[in-house]
Amino acid sequence: IFEEYCATAIKVSIRIMLLISFYLKKIRGIMMERYEKLSLCGLYCGGCKNYKENYNCMGCRNEKKLVNDCHTRACCIAKGLLHCGLCEDFPCSELSEFYNDGIGHHQLAYKNMLKIKVIGVEQWLLEQEEEHTCKCGKKKVWFATKCTDEDCQI
């Protein structure tokens, strides 16, 4: 009887572990989708002309090829952080160099990180979505004053 009990307990334990694994993967997928427009360094991927267009970039959370040499991405993922602003070393020397390399959207990423620290990720994402969506519903890219639809009259 004891052996049957043990065998049953093992089978039940395995089923529970499989269910837990299944739901953890599901939760991770939901979280990745929810935050996929927030890059790890502070860029808003939804404002990039390549995000799901042109090069079909999926954002640094999901992209494999286009950002495989990004030290910041590798570091953040290794530390299990949602974004670099949560790191105790923020901004590290690598990020400082990136933020101060003279490229406009890199400087914007730093400002974004500071703002995220103040208002939180959720509010920042809402603001970015609003800022990068034209009244006609089409996308506006970084620093653009009008949307990507050439026929838009708004």
Side-chain angles (χ1 to χ4, degrees), residues 8 59 82 84 115 146:
T8 302
L82 179 61
C84 292
K115 189 167 186 178
K146 61 181 186 172

Side-chain angles (χ1 to χ4, degrees), residues 22 48 75 83 87 139:
F22 171 78
C48 177
C75 179
H83 57 78
C87 183
K139 174 176 158 176

